[in-house]
Amino acid sequence: MKEFNDLTEKQLASREVFAGKIMNVLVDDIELPDGHTATREYISHCGAVCVVPVTEDGKVVMERQYRYPIRRVVREIPAGKLDGRNEDHLEAAKRELKEETGITADNWHSLGRYVPAPAYSEEDIDMYLATGLHYGEQKLDDEEFLCVYEEPIESLVEDILAGRISDGKTQIAILKAYKILKGTL
Amino acid sequence: MKEFNDLTEKQLASREVFAGKIMNVLVDDIELPDGHTATREYISHCGAVCVVPVTEDGKVVMERQYRYPIRRVVREIPAGKLDGRNEDHLEAAKRELKEETGITADNWHSLGRYVPAPAYSEEDIDMYLATGLHYGEQKLDDEEFLCVYEEPIESLVEDILAGRISDGKTQIAILKAYKILKGTL
């Protein structure tokens, strides 16, 4: 078995191989822990946020959204990218919740951080629980189509544990929110 | 609020804009639900698997691995890509567990599917719980450096709920495994 105390891979060079509208792809030359060189391909990403908005009667405000890469409609919690690397995560969560659902919330609670694909993406997602909800008007981007609806948190937890919800951030954020609200799962 | 019964986005054209060693990037022209056109950028991916290997005394076989895109060492469960789109997921899980840790297991239990980044990646990850472990020899790829170690599942669940484990698949798969093994969280 190979044993190295320091697993760090050192950047030697970096080049952008694709610059798109929602993603840029980088290929870096790196030095491995054993001194050999290799390349690493990955997506640069400014970070994202997601929110579990819970109503007073224990329902989660959810979205149905078509996710083109996996070619199906996904049940997921409100989420979105930061406006830039310097946007405050909590402010971004408030902005995304308002844009996608029209909702503002009195109480915000951190659910920790979630790294979706550390093998090939810089992205991290800060997760929040929002309660004390006030309803307002949705303001979607032109190319954004989604249906907002509500679902009891108990049935969502049941669906997550039974494997009926696939989206990663939705699984983990709802399980953590439920554990905080109810004390057990 | 925009309301559409059918949220499907239809593929009009597809082109590969980057072909790398671990990822290919596609840009598709699509038709939106309202008939307008747009583009979708995403990573093509053949799929992946991850495993929560639990010892008889309730420890999880874990890995510490440097994840270059996020520039830090990550605590995570054994995982890897399918060898191709046709590889059986369970067989891939057995292969990856053996390659990365040297372990084979008597009992395999599905923990469902996990989609890490449906906004920009095709990837899905099938999750498994493995028990009845037998130790053998690790067989890592040349460019793969990781430390295998064991940690009690209770302290991992505590760390996940406290936000001290960031990797998405590790968070959800361990919470689900614990719920199955102990009946509660």
Side-chain angles (χ1 to χ4, degrees):
Chain A
M1 181 168 159
K2 295 181 287 191
E3 281 289 4
F4 291 86
N5 287 330
D6 183 359
L7 294 166
T8 307
E9 298 173 349
K10 292 184 196 72
Q11 185 183 51
L12 302 174
S14 181
R15 61 185 191 283
E16 191 176 74
V17 294
F18 172 67
K21 281 201 312 183
I22 70 150
M23 68 163 77
N24 298 338
V25 179
L26 302 173
V27 178
D28 287 12
D29 296 325
I30 60 135
E31 186 183 309
L32 292 166
D34 67 359
H36 287 89
T37 55
T39 58
R40 291 286 178 259
E41 301 163 4
Y42 62 105
I43 293 166
S44 72
H45 198 290
C46 62
V49 292
C50 67
V51 186
V52 184
V54 181
T55 65
E56 278 187 27
D57 59 345
K59 288 184 178 143
V60 181
V61 180
M62 296 282 293
E63 298 176 356
R64 283 184 212 276
Q65 189 165 7
Y66 188 78
R67 291 303 198 170
Y68 184 80
I70 58 170
R71 303 290 202 281
R72 61 179 186 268
V73 174
V74 173
R75 280 195 286 169
E76 57 189 292
I77 53 175
K81 286 173 74 166
L82 301 187
D83 269 347
R85 284 182 196 267
N86 293 327
E87 190 183 19
D88 179 79
H89 285 77
L90 178 55
E91 289 310 311
K94 291 177 179 177
R95 179 181 52 71
E96 283 291 343
L97 180 63
K98 177 109 177 57
E99 284 174 10
E100 293 191 348
T101 70
I103 290 171
T104 54
D106 293 332
N107 314 307
W108 290 82
H109 186 102
S110 171
L111 296 172
R113 187 161 284 189
Y114 164 89
V115 178
Y120 60 80
S121 173
E122 264 188 350
E123 181 178 17
D124 54 35
I125 304 181
D126 271 20
M127 304 179 287
Y128 295 92
L129 166 63
T131 57
L133 309 184
H134 305 278
Y135 292 79
E137 201 176 331
Q138 195 186 34
K139 256 176 54 186
L140 293 178
D141 294 336
D142 278 349
E143 293 187 5
E144 204 166 26
F145 295 85
L146 50 86
C147 293
V148 177
Y149 71 104
E150 296 181 0
E151 201 170 341
I153 193 163
E154 280 83 4
S155 68
L156 283 166
V157 168
E158 209 172 286
D159 283 355
I160 290 165
L161 294 174
R164 289 189 290 265
I165 288 193
S166 58
D167 179 54
K169 63 183 180 300
T170 300
Q171 293 191 51
I172 188 68
I174 287 180
L175 288 185
K176 288 176 118 177
Y178 189 82
K179 173 84 177 160
I180 285 168
L181 293 170
K182 310 281 177 167
T184 184
L185 265 176
Chain B
M1 182 166 159
K2 295 181 286 190
E3 281 289 3
F4 291 88
N5 288 328
D6 184 0
L7 294 166
T8 307
E9 298 172 348
K10 294 186 194 71
Q11 185 184 51
L12 301 174
S14 181
R15 62 184 191 281
E16 191 176 77
V17 294
F18 173 67
K21 282 201 313 183
I22 70 150
M23 69 162 78
N24 297 339
V25 179
L26 302 173
V27 178
D28 287 11
D29 296 323
I30 60 136
E31 185 183 310
L32 293 166
D34 66 358
H36 287 90
T37 56
T39 59
R40 291 286 178 259
E41 302 164 2
Y42 62 105
I43 293 168
S44 72
H45 198 290
C46 63
V49 292
C50 66
V51 186
V52 184
V54 181
T55 66
E56 278 186 30
D57 59 346
K59 287 181 178 147
V60 181
V61 181
M62 296 282 293
E63 300 176 353
R64 281 183 212 276
Q65 189 165 7
Y66 188 77
R67 293 302 198 171
Y68 184 79
I70 57 169
R71 303 291 202 281
R72 61 178 187 268
V73 174
V74 173
R75 281 194 286 168
E76 58 188 291
I77 53 175
K81 284 173 76 167
L82 302 187
D83 268 346
R85 285 183 194 266
N86 293 326
E87 190 181 20
D88 179 80
H89 285 78
L90 179 55
E91 290 310 311
K94 291 177 178 176
R95 178 180 53 69
E96 283 291 342
L97 181 62
K98 177 110 178 59
E99 285 174 10
E100 293 191 348
T101 68
I103 290 170
T104 55
D106 293 332
N107 315 307
W108 290 82
H109 185 102
S110 170
L111 296 173
R113 186 160 284 187
Y114 165 89
V115 177
Y120 60 80
S121 173
E122 263 188 349
E123 182 177 17
D124 54 36
I125 304 180
D126 271 20
M127 305 179 286
Y128 295 94
L129 167 63
T131 57
L133 309 184
H134 305 278
Y135 292 78
E137 203 176 328
Q138 194 187 35
K139 256 177 54 186
L140 293 178
D141 294 337
D142 279 350
E143 292 187 5
E144 202 166 27
F145 294 86
L146 50 87
C147 293
V148 177
Y149 73 102
E150 296 180 0
E151 198 167 344
I153 193 163
E154 279 83 3
S155 68
L156 283 166
V157 167
E158 207 172 290
D159 282 356
I160 290 165
L161 294 175
R164 289 189 289 264
I165 288 192
S166 57
D167 180 53
K169 64 182 179 301
T170 300
Q171 293 191 50
I172 186 69
I174 287 179
L175 289 185
K176 287 177 117 178
Y178 189 82
K179 173 83 178 162
I180 284 168
L181 293 169
K182 310 279 176 169
T184 184
L185 264 176

